């Protein structure tokens, strides 16, 4: 029996984890066949939620690696990426500890997430997709936390991916965190924003041992980014009906809380504290593209550029997007589309 639930049969098989991913048959009988699926796939011992949507099986596959790490993109993907499915097969994956995967497999707070474990999950997902969709490789797109995981995946198994596209690319925990503090402080000083300056003084410069401090700084970061960027369409952030039930919304909130603590750590010692992507080595055996918001304070374009310049890869590109910050908006989506069509597409021939 097929382990993946089609839309029509979803209600009858939700929650069931069937055969191992290695036994999954290819679903695409012809390149012109459309595909639209969502359900749990067994990945490294647990059922993980994956959605697939595309008008043509022969189109390139994009595997999105969401941020957070708890902020699953599945509820919003149809609105944000509307129209992309005509040219690409779009895959959303609710990572371990996030979204529908968290809802099915609720870890207790003492169960730690690790970058290595989630990297291996992502690699298993990519292998599953290639087999399931009859493709040799997929395009890997990661944003924010997903850019950390994406680089780890790309470095570990480059042969699985046509290219890696990093948006809001994280580089090094201390550099990015300290850079955000300095930039927010400078903006608050320039604006004579006494309330924010008082709160920043109370926080002090990172690193911190209080897990709340990162979230406090992020609120100020969003405030100043909002002044320099264009807001995304409001309908982007209305979850699709399937994900808008009271239980699903409560699970999503609980997943965010769990993943945030895993990311930051109770004493500033979570997954983020260990992030140092240059230490993985700067040679990439696949094309690499970074897309950075000009007003991004959390993942500074200057920090990303320094890392990018150190990278060797078969092909690479660096794009800075005006009126965009850390969180996605239409300008960022347009830039991603342009990179896909003008820089990545020629590499797929």
């Amino acid at each position: 029996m097929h382990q993946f639930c089609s839309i029509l049969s979803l209600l009858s098989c939700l929650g069931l984890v069937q055969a191992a991913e290695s036994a999954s048959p290819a679903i695409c009988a012809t390149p012109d066949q459309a595909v639209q699926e969502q359900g749990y796939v067994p990945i490294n011992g647990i059922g993980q939620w994956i959605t697939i949507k595309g008008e043509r099986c022969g189109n390139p596959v994009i595997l999105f690696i969401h941020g957070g790490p708890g902020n699953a993109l599945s509820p919003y993907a149809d609105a944000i990426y509307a129209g992309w499915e005509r040219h690409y097969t779009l895959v959303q994956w609710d990572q371990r500890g996030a979204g529908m995967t968290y809802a099915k497999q609720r870890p207790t707070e003492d169960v730690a997430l690790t970058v290595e474990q989630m990297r291996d999950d992502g690699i298993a997902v990519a292998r599953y997709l290639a087999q399931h969709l009859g493709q040799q490789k997929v395009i890997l797109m990661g944003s924010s936390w997903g850019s950390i995981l994406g680089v780890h995946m790309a470095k570990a198994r480059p042969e699985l991916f046509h290219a890696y596209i990093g948006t809001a690319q994280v580089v090094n925990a201390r550099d990015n965190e300290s850079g955000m503090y300095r930039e927010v402080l400078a903006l608050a000083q320039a604006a004579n924003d006494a309330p924010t300056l008082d709160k920043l003084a109370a926080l002090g410069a990172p690193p911190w041992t209080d897990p709340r401090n990162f979230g406090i700084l992020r609120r100020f970061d969003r405030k100043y980014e909002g002044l320099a960027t264009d807001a995304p369409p409001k309908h982007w952030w209305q979850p699709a009906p399937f994900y808008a039930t009271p239980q699903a919304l409560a699970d999503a909130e609980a997943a965010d809380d769990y993943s945030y603590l895993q990311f930051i750590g109770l004493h500033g010692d979570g997954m983020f504290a260990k992030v140092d992507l240059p230490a993985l080595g700067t040679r990439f055996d696949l094309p690499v593209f970074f897309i950075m918001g000009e007003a991004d304070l959390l993942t500074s374009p200057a920090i990303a550029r320094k890392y990018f310049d150190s990278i060797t890869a078969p092909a690479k590109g660096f794009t800075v997007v005006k009126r965009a910050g850390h969180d996605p908006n239409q300008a960022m989506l347009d830039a991603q589309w342009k990179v896909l069509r003008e820089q990545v597409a020629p590499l797929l021939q």
Side-chain angles (χ1 to χ4, degrees):
M1 182 175 180
H2 203 293
Q3 78 198 49
F4 218 108
C5 308
S6 70
I7 298 298
L8 293 177
S9 64
L10 179 61
L11 293 179
S12 66
C13 64
L14 258 180
L16 298 181
V17 176
Q18 299 169 12
E21 62 264 28
S22 61
S24 172
I27 190 173
C28 293
T30 70
D32 293 327
Q33 178 183 330
V35 57
Q36 186 168 347
E37 299 183 326
Q38 61 184 31
Y40 289 103
V41 174
I43 298 293
N44 292 338
I46 66 170
Q48 302 200 30
W49 185 261
I50 296 174
T51 72
I52 304 177
K53 185 173 184 179
E55 290 190 3
R56 188 175 180 276
C57 277
N59 285 336
V61 177
I62 301 175
L63 170 57
F64 293 88
I65 311 296
H66 66 71
N71 303 139
L73 196 55
S74 301
Y76 315 106
D78 285 351
I80 295 173
Y81 298 105
W84 285 32
E85 71 278 0
R86 292 196 293 270
H87 301 276
Y88 297 94
T89 299
L90 309 179
V91 179
Q92 304 296 334
W93 161 46
D94 290 13
Q95 299 160 25
R96 188 181 294 259
M100 296 288 287
T101 299
Y102 176 90
K104 182 176 179 60
Q105 314 271 345
R106 276 192 176 229
T108 57
E109 289 187 4
D110 61 332
V111 174
L113 293 177
T114 69
V115 173
E116 293 76 18
Q117 178 185 54
M118 297 176 77
R119 173 203 65 201
D120 292 345
D121 285 351
I123 288 169
V125 170
R127 292 176 58 203
Y128 168 81
L129 293 171
Q131 179 177 339
H132 189 62
L133 298 172
Q135 302 249 359
Q136 291 187 337
K137 299 181 180 184
V138 304
I139 299 167
L140 182 63
M141 291 187 67
S143 179
S144 192
W145 151 257
S147 75
I148 300 170
L149 194 53
V151 166
H152 277 265
M153 291 167 60
K155 292 287 292 180
R157 294 296 302 275
E159 74 278 7
L160 295 176
F161 307 109
H162 290 295
Y164 167 66
I165 303 173
T167 302
Q169 181 66 52
V170 181
V171 175
N172 172 278
R174 295 310 175 205
D175 289 348
N176 283 121
E177 196 172 56
S178 297
M180 176 169 59
Y181 183 87
R182 288 194 304 271
E183 293 195 46
V184 171
L185 179 62
L187 289 167
Q189 289 170 337
N192 293 318
D193 182 354
T196 298
L197 289 170
D198 289 344
K199 291 173 182 175
L200 290 173
L203 283 180
W208 301 302
T209 56
D210 187 335
R212 295 171 296 184
N213 288 1
F214 182 89
I216 293 170
L217 180 59
R218 186 76 173 105
R219 288 199 295 272
F220 302 142
D221 161 35
R222 283 195 169 104
K223 169 185 172 180
Y224 280 101
E225 282 194 20
L227 298 174
T229 61
D230 298 321
K234 290 183 179 180
H235 74 276
W236 279 11
W237 305 119
Q238 296 297 318
F242 181 85
Y243 298 94
T245 66
Q247 185 60 57
L249 293 172
D251 287 339
E253 183 175 355
D256 286 350
D257 291 344
Y258 166 77
S259 296
Y260 176 81
L261 284 177
Q262 292 293 318
F263 183 60
I264 297 299
L266 287 173
H267 305 288
D269 54 354
M271 291 189 292
F272 185 46
K274 304 174 183 67
V275 171
D276 183 6
L277 298 186
L280 299 177
T282 54
R283 174 183 168 179
F284 284 75
D285 293 325
L286 77 172
V288 174
F289 302 92
F290 288 176
I291 307 174
M292 306 297 298
E294 186 177 51
D296 189 342
L297 303 176
L298 173 52
T299 51
S300 159
I303 293 173
R305 181 76 210 203
K306 183 178 178 181
Y307 175 44
F308 174 84
D309 287 344
S310 74
I311 287 171
T312 59
K316 64 178 189 174
F318 191 92
T319 302
V320 177
V321 185
K322 293 183 177 181
R323 301 294 300 173
H326 188 76
D327 297 323
N329 64 4
Q330 190 60 55
M332 182 59 73
L333 263 288
D334 292 345
Q336 290 176 333
W337 181 255
K338 185 178 176 68
V339 167
L340 281 166
R341 303 305 289 171
E342 296 183 3
Q343 299 187 59
V344 177
L347 303 174
L348 308 181
Q349 304 303 321

